[in-house]
Amino acid sequence: MSAASALFEPYTLRSLTVPNRVWMAPMCQYSAEVFGPNAGVVNDWHFAHYTARATGGTGLILVEATAVSPEGRISPADLGIWNDTQVAALRRITAFLESQGTVPGIQIAHAGRKASTDRPWLGGAPLKPDSEEGWQPLAPSPVAWDEKHTVPTELTIDQIREIVGQFAAAARRALDAGFKVVEIHGAHGYLIGQFLSPHSNRRTDEYGGSFENRVRFALEVTDAVRAVWPDELPLFFRISATDWLEDGGWTADETVRLAALLKEHGVDLLDVSTGGNASGVRIPTGPGYQVPFAARVHDESPLAVAAVGMITEPEQAEKILANGEADAVLLGRELLRDPSWARRAARELGGEVHVPDQYHRSV
Ligand SMILES: Cc1cc2nc3c(=O)[nH]c(=O)nc-3n(C[C@H](O)[C@H](O)[C@H](O)COP(=O)(O)O)c2cc1C
């Protein structure tokens, strides 16, 4: 079946077909309980939030950064995927998404030195390790994010191996929870991004220094996840294509180099974001400002690519695909404004999209 609009063409990766190319970017809700048996567990808020985007026709939803361990949370109210209670509750969301034809995906994450911060709407301040909700962050090197953040503890080789194992366990649990896509969070200066960039990685062992050493952790996590993630299901990796630093940061050239390696290690799609690893950096934002980075990876690497960042208009999204700059678009804040954006775009562009039976009179 050929659709009039590229945005509403189905897309197949491995054995998984996504009904359209309008996808929801992972967005932390910082809304889980902090303590007790329901710590890190999805609740009614998460159910309402994700299912509304599914009834709105979104082809694939990436559930927010979900921590592989308690220390890996950004805020104390983050979702977790380190125990079976968390898995059982996620099943209700994946089942509903599937009932709407939306592919359920999840981003698995470790915050590293950016862990232990408050909810953004409460100021997002770092929480001291000895405060009620805070803890001591871990990182490749004892370099704090900024002068207000706690200096993180440098990871030992044993601790690095343990975290690689936590990513694999998280992927296994994601499968058990009914997800069809796992995205490894390698972007925005969280733990994997901290290893990638010389700005945050000052190690002198086999995990620091050269490009090969800085990407080692990312590739080890990828291998461990791929080993437990079924061959017929796709694996995504989110990257910050650049730190936006003149000197001493991760660069777009390195992103292209890493993309080729990620493909060899079993990643199917690169979700191309930028920034978040260096404080005080000015990022030249504007409509589609990260699309050129996605387009470059698309041109120069064998990976499929999703573009993200200030993509808000149907025509704009359509052009990104029609120009061959990306294979899919991820929308963040625009889907917070309008959960049924995909339906609006389908109307404007003449594409076909799922509409729940209950809403048939609104077609
Ligand atoms: C409330 C909020 C939470 C976010 N949480 C995450 C996250 O969990 N993981 C991630 O990779 N990016 C996260 N982001 C970034 C988005 O995924 C997206 O890349 C960014 O908002 C740019 O896209 P947009 O202009 O369409 O919003 C978050 C953004 C927002 C607004």
Side-chain angles (χ1 to χ4, degrees):
M1 187 190 79
S2 88
S5 146
L7 206 51
F8 291 92
E9 284 280 357
Y11 187 51
T12 300
L13 279 162
R14 299 204 181 217
S15 304
L16 181 81
T17 298
V18 188
N20 61 51
R21 296 20 170 34
V22 181
W23 299 356
M24 180 173 169
M27 281 179 285
C28 281
Q29 299 298 293
Y30 312 103
S31 296
E33 287 182 32
V34 178
F35 301 112
N38 288 326
V41 174
V42 287
N43 55 38
D44 285 357
W45 173 261
H46 304 92
F47 187 81
H49 169 65
Y50 290 112
T51 58
R53 277 79 202 169
T55 53
T58 312
L60 181 151
I61 290 179
L62 286 170
V63 165
E64 65 202 79
T66 300
V68 301
S69 70
E71 315 80 60
R73 293 168 299 165
I74 304 166
S75 88
D78 283 18
L79 294 185
I81 188 151
W82 63 80
N83 70 38
D84 295 340
T85 309
Q86 294 161 346
V87 170
L90 282 164
R91 265 187 216 123
R92 198 166 154 243
I93 292 180
T94 57
F96 190 95
L97 266 47
E98 292 270 14
S99 79
Q100 300 302 307
T102 297
V103 172
I106 187 168
Q107 185 182 58
I108 55 175
H110 192 300
R113 68 174 178 166
K114 288 170 85 174
S116 189
T117 57
D118 210 351
R119 298 93 173 140
W121 55 84
L122 297 179
L127 299 167
K128 296 281 169 236
D130 58 1
S131 63
E132 195 199 354
E133 292 191 332
W135 64 94
Q136 173 62 32
L138 305 164
S141 303
V143 182
W145 161 254
D146 66 11
E147 62 287 350
K148 291 202 200 107
H149 275 68
T150 307
V151 176
T153 304
E154 184 175 49
L155 288 162
T156 64
I157 299 284
D158 280 349
Q159 286 173 312
I160 291 175
R161 293 205 179 110
E162 191 186 343
I163 296 174
V164 170
Q166 288 167 348
F167 270 97
R172 216 179 291 117
R173 287 204 170 93
L175 185 67
D176 198 21
F179 288 101
K180 295 287 161 55
V181 169
V182 156
E183 175 170 275
I184 298 170
H185 196 352
H188 303 162
Y190 294 110
L191 186 63
I192 294 173
Q194 288 159 34
F195 271 94
L196 293 179
S197 171
H199 183 71
S200 41
N201 181 348
R202 312 279 168 86
R203 296 179 77 95
T204 53
D205 62 6
E206 67 266 38
Y207 289 97
S210 65
F211 171 83
E212 285 74 17
N213 283 354
R214 284 181 282 115
V215 304
R216 190 179 308 283
F217 180 65
L219 295 179
E220 286 179 357
V221 168
T222 301
D223 287 344
V225 168
R226 220 338 136 199
V228 301
W229 192 243
D231 282 347
E232 59 274 20
L233 293 179
L235 175 61
F236 292 7
F237 190 101
R238 180 168 254 205
I239 193 148
S240 283
T242 173
D243 283 344
W244 294 106
L245 289 171
E246 298 266 318
D247 290 308
W250 177 260
T251 65
D253 289 345
E254 289 180 311
T255 294
V256 172
R257 264 176 93 184
L258 178 59
L261 293 173
L262 289 171
K263 177 77 181 180
E264 285 169 22
H265 287 255
V267 169
D268 301 288
L269 178 139
L270 199 65
D271 166 2
V272 184
S273 188
T274 68
N277 194 41
S279 56
V281 173
R282 265 193 42 128
I283 299 180
T285 57
Y289 71 104
Q290 295 174 147
V291 174
F293 294 96
R296 185 166 166 207
V297 175
H298 204 237
D299 274 358
E300 297 179 31
S301 95
L303 279 179
V305 164
V308 66
M310 297 180 76
I311 300 168
T312 55
E313 298 307 319
E315 279 293 349
Q316 177 198 15
E318 180 71 17
K319 274 206 193 104
I320 292 167
L321 300 189
N323 292 345
E325 292 172 300
D327 301 291
V329 292
L330 287 155
L331 275 68
R333 289 163 290 179
E334 195 59 17
L335 273 173
L336 300 185
R337 297 178 193 112
D338 178 3
S340 299
W341 190 93
R343 286 183 63 193
R344 176 158 73 83
R347 250 198 336 271
E348 282 184 37
L349 300 169
E352 273 182 42
V353 72
H354 165 78
V355 178
D357 293 340
Q358 294 88 338
Y359 294 174
H360 77 279
R361 291 186 63 185
S362 68
V363 173

